Amino acid sequence: MSQDARAAGDGSLAPETAAKAASARDALAERDGVLVAFSGGVDSAVVAALARDALGGDAVACTARSETLPAAELDDAKRVAEEIGIRHETVTFSELDDPNFVANDGDRCYHCRTMRLGRMYETAKELGIDTVCDGTNADDPGEGHRPGLRAVEELAVFSPLLDAGISKDEVRAIAESYDLSVADKPSMACLSSRIPTGLEVTEERLSRVEKAERVLREWGFEGFRVRDHDGLARVEIAPDELERALDPAFADAVHEHLTDLGFEYVTLDMAGYRTGSVSPGGEAGDGGDGSSDGESVDDESAAGDESSDGGERSDDDGVDLGRRYPR
């Protein structure tokens, strides 16, 4: 992304949005350096692009790897950081080390964000950077139960989009002006949001949810979730794709694949895909992109089946993605 391209991009924005983007960029430029909690979603990507403009090589994007972020999201984060031209670091930690997170109460996202941002601060300190920023936007505080935002406030994380009054729609417009590939990417909540409140978060549950959703993605579905109700898989499909899921061939295939992954029962939710359907505050409960896309992993964004040393996933994981159900 060249400087000329960035300057030209500002001209495509509405004057008010352009002014807000400039305000956020100026606020970043006042810092000696920043580390962006980076999921690769649209919110954290816009912060990273603004920071790269404002600070050049003194801006760093950092993605936290854990069991709750799908490997595909980590790959996307690496790709988007390269697209922006910002230095990209990864840190590894495990939310499962915290019994408060594992218990999966109404503050699960608070415990997750506290750990995740704590690792960001440790990395920033190692790099000689004082400021950690995230992708919380101006719409996030008004979206109901958001315990992760409490962690952002307690840890004094800098939220340039929020401070400049930039809404989610404006974030996407700014992303388009930068010609970012994630401008239209839906918010992506972490895998633990697929597990109902009160049911323990375990590596087994996170792993089978990730593999199940990978199957649906490989089959071409775009809006979906697989909810893990203690061994019962509740499959949610977006309304505009639901007709495909009502095909008996799909029912047979999804039952075969998901029971192979360890689910005892497989159901299709006739209400379709919707956020936050398993828990109070569910997925909507965590924006800000350090997650995963403050972004609502939810920005945010940690690799499920990957080993802690960053090795690639094995093909021998029980999922034969070469199989397809009849169209």
Side-chain angles (χ1 to χ4, degrees), residues 48-312:
L50 291 169
R52 177 69 178 84
D53 273 1
L55 295 165
D58 291 324
V60 178
C62 186
T63 302
R65 307 164 45 136
S66 74
E67 297 90 346
T68 64
L69 184 69
E73 292 298 306
L74 180 62
D75 291 341
D76 262 2
K78 293 176 180 176
R79 177 185 58 77
V80 175
E82 184 175 352
E83 184 178 305
I84 293 168
I86 191 170
R87 175 180 172 183
H88 186 231
E89 300 285 340
T90 60
V91 295
T92 300
F93 79 111
S94 177
E95 291 102 337
L96 301 182
D97 289 340
D98 183 351
N100 292 313
F101 175 85
V102 171
N104 196 18
D105 63 12
D107 280 340
R108 180 198 70 229
C109 292
Y110 168 76
H111 301 304
C112 171
R113 188 63 61 80
T114 298
M115 286 186 286
R116 189 178 300 271
L117 290 172
R119 291 292 288 120
M120 296 291 166
Y121 271 106
E122 291 173 9
T123 303
K125 184 177 180 181
E126 292 170 2
L127 297 174
I129 295 173
D130 293 329
T131 301
V132 170
C133 54
D134 77 340
T136 302
N137 65 61
D139 288 339
D140 286 334
E143 291 186 351
H145 184 61
R146 304 297 293 264
L149 295 183
R150 178 156 50 97
V152 171
E153 293 172 1
E154 289 178 358
L155 292 170
V157 174
F158 176 41
S159 302
L161 303 180
L162 176 63
D163 287 0
I166 297 174
S167 69
K168 187 70 173 187
D169 287 343
E170 289 175 318
V171 169
R172 294 196 183 280
I174 295 168
E176 288 178 2
S177 78
Y178 275 104
D179 198 25
L180 295 179
S181 61
V182 292
D184 295 323
K185 182 179 180 179
S187 295
M188 175 66 188
C190 79
L191 291 171
S192 59
S193 68
R194 299 1 175 222
I195 302 172
T197 297
L199 186 62
E200 284 193 352
V201 179
T202 66
E203 188 169 1
E204 177 187 11
R205 288 172 178 146
L206 294 171
S207 178
R208 69 188 176 196
V209 163
E210 180 179 8
K211 292 174 183 177
E213 293 193 349
R214 185 149 53 96
V215 169
L216 293 177
R217 189 172 297 108
E218 289 289 325
W219 283 346
F221 289 94
E222 295 182 2
F224 60 85
R225 290 289 186 267
V226 177
R227 314 290 188 183
D228 189 337
H229 292 264
D230 199 17
L232 183 152
R234 178 163 59 89
V235 180
E236 297 179 0
I237 303 291
D240 61 348
E241 299 180 277
L242 191 56
E243 184 175 355
R244 286 182 58 207
L246 295 175
D247 183 342
F250 171 81
D252 289 343
V254 77
H255 180 269
E256 176 188 355
H257 282 68
L258 269 59
T259 53
D260 282 352
L261 294 176
F263 288 102
E264 297 177 46
Y265 303 99
V266 181
T267 66
L268 178 65
D269 189 330
M270 303 308 291
Y273 165 55
R274 61 225 183 267
T275 61
S277 70
V278 295
S279 311
E283 286 175 41
D286 240 11
D289 255 9
S291 67
S292 248
D293 206 350
E295 224 116 64
S296 288
V297 134
D298 236 273
D299 284 39
E300 20 339 204
S301 256
D305 279 3
E306 287 188 322
S307 62
S308 59
D309 65 358
E312 293 300 318

